[in-house]
Amino acid sequence: MTFTPEQLQDAAKQHLWMHFTRMSTYNNADVPVIVRGSGPYVYDDKGKRYLDGLAGLFVSMVGHGRTELAEAAAKQASELAYFPLWSYAHPTAVELAARLAELAPGDLNKVFFTTSGSEAVESAWKLAKAYFKRIGEPTRYKVLSREYAYHGTSMGALAVTGLSSIKHDFEPLPAGGIRVPNTNIYRAPDFAADWSEEQFGVWAADEIERAILREDAESVAAVYLEPVQNSGGCFTPPAGYFQRVREICDKYGVLLVSDEVICAFGRLGYYFGSTRYNYQPDIITFAKGVTSGYSPLGGMIVRDQLMEPFQTGTATFLHGITFAGHPVSAAVALANLDIFEGDNLLGNVRANEDGFRAALDKLSDLPIVGNIRGAGYFYGIELVKDKATKETFDDDESERLLRGFLSHALFEAGLVCRADDRGDPVIQLAPPLICTQEHFDEIEQILRSVLTEAWSRV
Ligand SMILES: Cc1ncc(COP(=O)(O)O)c(C=O)c1O
């Protein structure tokens, strides 16, 4: 059965529950329906083209319509569509695990697959707890993470997430999620207003130490940090921040989890964000870009020592997910990594990231643009009411501006990106890694005209 566009609208409104979506928005408006993609563009059911400035949801690294990946999936499905990783292996999962271990920094050599980022985050927490029990430190269970940081939505991952606004409906959550400051230097506390970026970074890292001591070091299992924090709008790490965090983790025996669900696989010009910022995590969590979204996959890559207690006698990590490391997804991931190599995507990001930044920096002349921050192909543009004082929009203004106007207007103007007010209002950009200057210029032009219009409505 093929639906007409009208039937699709009706059925979507009656049956499809969209995620993180205010469904009432579509009581009197069409649900946007995206039907196909090609390179960095996607097309809706009426044939209109949009530049995918968010790579779907930080996912489509190699762009849309890559038939090699579709073929890899078809080939694997016809050979072996499914078999579990529960007590068995299959070749694509083995090859992918070996390839990821090779790419990951240091002795991160053991790969535990999941199907999503939330499951990866939650698996890392379960591993940390089980590991510490096995090595005789059973009191360690708490996890630190940063204010506003998004680490997923399943109950455990939500407890790690630092956005209280998306947690209230689901409380009580698993105990032990503790917040520490993020590295938003643009909104540094008053006492740090005159500090250099390095000083600010030392302070933010030392806040992790203070939290560990406050909570009792022997109760803390892990600290979760993204290389560049997405939620809140691309907070980059000040120089030295991660090195200081690593020292603190070593001092107190706390595991450093680098949540790279967004930042791995080229987003920052490297396979892993931790490589760009030169720190050694104990666990890397990944998902999204590993397959460029042609099939779902996630996982964690862990240091050898974290698996050791589970490698003798009857010891077992009592955790598993039916579809984790799915043969088709693993085959797609391998083909995806082949494209990374063949098309030199990391090189493309490194060669063009300054051009992306320069295109966005042009928007600084707009009165509504307060701060532009990010790295690689990953940027946030913070919107303000007053550039000089950095005054932000109140809740009503934010509601009218972001939800009432910007989200829709940017899409209408042909740009998929995200207008987010879970922290201060930001526009988030993370285009496919194949993008070049012409796409950055297109992004800049659309943002310029829509933000100019937005300002006239403030
Ligand atoms: C840093 C980070 N961790 C975890 C997640 C959760 O991933 P998923 O939506 O695949 O469960 C996300 C999703 O955006 C993320 O950005």
Side-chain angles (χ1 to χ4, degrees):
M1 177 169 65
T2 311
F3 284 178
T4 63
E6 293 71 31
Q7 287 170 324
L8 264 182
Q9 281 300 323
D10 283 351
K13 288 179 187 185
Q14 283 186 45
H15 301 296
L16 186 65
W17 198 336
M18 287 177 281
H19 295 203
F20 276 113
T21 302
R22 205 180 277 182
M23 293 303 288
S24 64
T25 312
Y26 300 112
N27 288 345
N28 299 307
D30 275 2
V31 174
V33 179
I34 301 299
V35 294
R36 70 184 180 89
S38 173
Y41 294 98
V42 291
Y43 297 81
D44 70 13
D45 54 345
K46 295 167 194 82
K48 185 172 167 189
R49 188 179 90 159
Y50 303 83
L51 179 55
D52 185 2
L54 206 62
L57 197 55
F58 314 98
V59 167
S60 313
M61 300 309 205
V62 300
H64 300 278
R66 295 297 296 240
T67 49
E68 307 94 299
L69 297 189
E71 280 156 16
K75 182 167 176 286
Q76 181 58 44
S78 50
E79 223 162 81
L80 179 70
Y82 176 71
F83 219 71
L85 291 180
W86 303 43
S87 302
Y88 304 95
H90 47 76
T92 52
V94 176
E95 278 175 48
L96 182 61
R99 195 149 166 191
L100 293 175
E102 181 69 33
L103 296 175
D107 62 345
L108 276 88
N109 287 319
K110 313 292 190 215
V111 181
F112 185 96
F113 288 114
T114 65
T115 62
S116 72
S118 297
E119 286 170 355
V121 164
E122 199 146 330
S123 298
W125 194 0
K126 287 183 80 172
L127 174 60
K129 284 169 141 181
Y131 168 77
F132 282 121
K133 285 200 167 64
R134 298 271 162 192
I135 65 162
E137 300 181 43
T139 54
R140 289 189 188 269
Y141 73 96
K142 294 177 189 167
V143 286
L144 310 187
S145 60
R146 296 183 290 195
E147 278 156 7
Y148 295 143
Y150 182 88
H151 293 286
T153 50
S154 57
M155 288 297 189
L158 196 56
V160 183
T161 286
L163 285 158
S164 40
S165 60
I166 64 165
K167 297 162 78 150
H168 295 316
D169 278 355
F170 311 104
E171 285 165 348
L173 294 169
I178 311 292
R179 292 298 82 70
V180 292
N182 56 47
T183 59
N184 182 4
I185 194 163
Y186 181 69
R187 298 257 171 227
D190 287 345
F191 59 81
D194 298 330
W195 290 358
S196 68
E197 199 180 315
E198 282 77 4
Q199 280 173 302
F200 181 71
V202 170
W203 169 79
D206 285 350
E207 281 297 301
I208 293 177
E209 178 167 33
R210 280 187 275 278
I212 291 173
L213 293 172
R214 196 170 55 236
E215 292 298 323
D216 176 4
E218 290 180 8
S219 73
V220 181
V223 50
Y224 281 72
L225 305 171
E226 290 167 87
V228 172
Q229 181 178 321
N230 170 49
S231 210
C234 284
F235 304 143
T236 52
Y241 172 80
F242 275 112
Q243 288 64 33
R244 178 83 190 108
V245 172
R246 181 70 263 180
E247 276 169 25
I248 293 164
C249 287
D250 288 343
K251 184 166 167 193
Y252 298 102
V254 170
L255 300 178
L256 174 53
V257 181
S258 191
D259 184 356
E260 307 210 9
V261 166
I262 289 180
C263 290
F265 305 108
R267 181 59 50 213
L268 303 177
Y270 294 79
Y271 280 112
F272 295 100
S274 38
T275 307
R276 174 167 181 146
Y277 294 114
N278 197 22
Y279 64 93
Q280 178 64 53
D282 298 302
I283 301 176
I284 288 178
T285 50
F286 66 89
K288 298 189 186 267
V290 65
T291 58
S292 287
Y294 285 72
S295 193
L297 185 70
M300 56 175 174
I301 316 174
V302 315
R303 288 185 112 152
D304 290 327
Q305 76 181 65
L306 296 180
M307 194 177 171
E308 270 164 27
F310 303 96
Q311 287 180 301
T312 51
T314 57
T316 307
F317 181 38
L318 295 168
H319 181 50
I321 298 153
T322 299
F323 285 141
H326 193 283
V328 172
S329 299
V332 168
L334 287 165
N336 186 49
L337 292 174
D338 288 344
I339 294 180
F340 268 69
E341 279 175 26
D343 293 4
N344 188 22
L345 287 185
L346 302 183
N348 192 51
V349 173
R350 290 188 214 170
N352 291 309
E353 66 169 291
D354 289 347
F356 188 21
R357 164 120 226 167
L360 297 179
D361 276 346
K362 286 191 199 159
L363 298 167
S364 307
D365 62 344
L366 299 178
I368 198 172
V369 171
N371 190 223
I372 299 167
R373 51 190 180 239
Y377 275 18
F378 190 29
Y379 277 91
I381 300 175
E382 183 168 335
L383 306 179
V384 290
K385 207 157 117 181
D386 186 324
K387 235 178 157 100
T389 62
K390 300 185 186 175
E391 185 186 352
T392 190
F393 297 97
D394 64 29
D395 287 351
D396 284 349
E397 291 164 334
S398 231
E399 171 72 26
R400 265 187 287 122
L401 186 70
L402 270 87
R403 294 189 191 268
F405 175 71
L406 268 179
S407 297
H408 183 67
L410 287 164
F411 188 66
E412 277 299 298
L415 178 64
V416 177
C417 63
R418 192 185 210 181
D420 192 9
D421 64 350
R422 291 181 296 186
D424 293 307
V426 285
I427 290 177
Q428 291 169 304
L429 294 159
L433 311 184
I434 51 170
C435 284
T436 53
Q437 198 60 43
E438 61 176 301
H439 307 113
F440 307 144
D441 293 342
E442 191 178 337
I443 290 174
E444 191 268 332
Q445 278 152 25
I446 294 175
L447 286 175
R448 176 170 294 281
S449 81
V450 175
L451 289 175
T452 303
E453 163 81 18
W455 184 247
S456 72
R457 291 166 174 251
V458 169

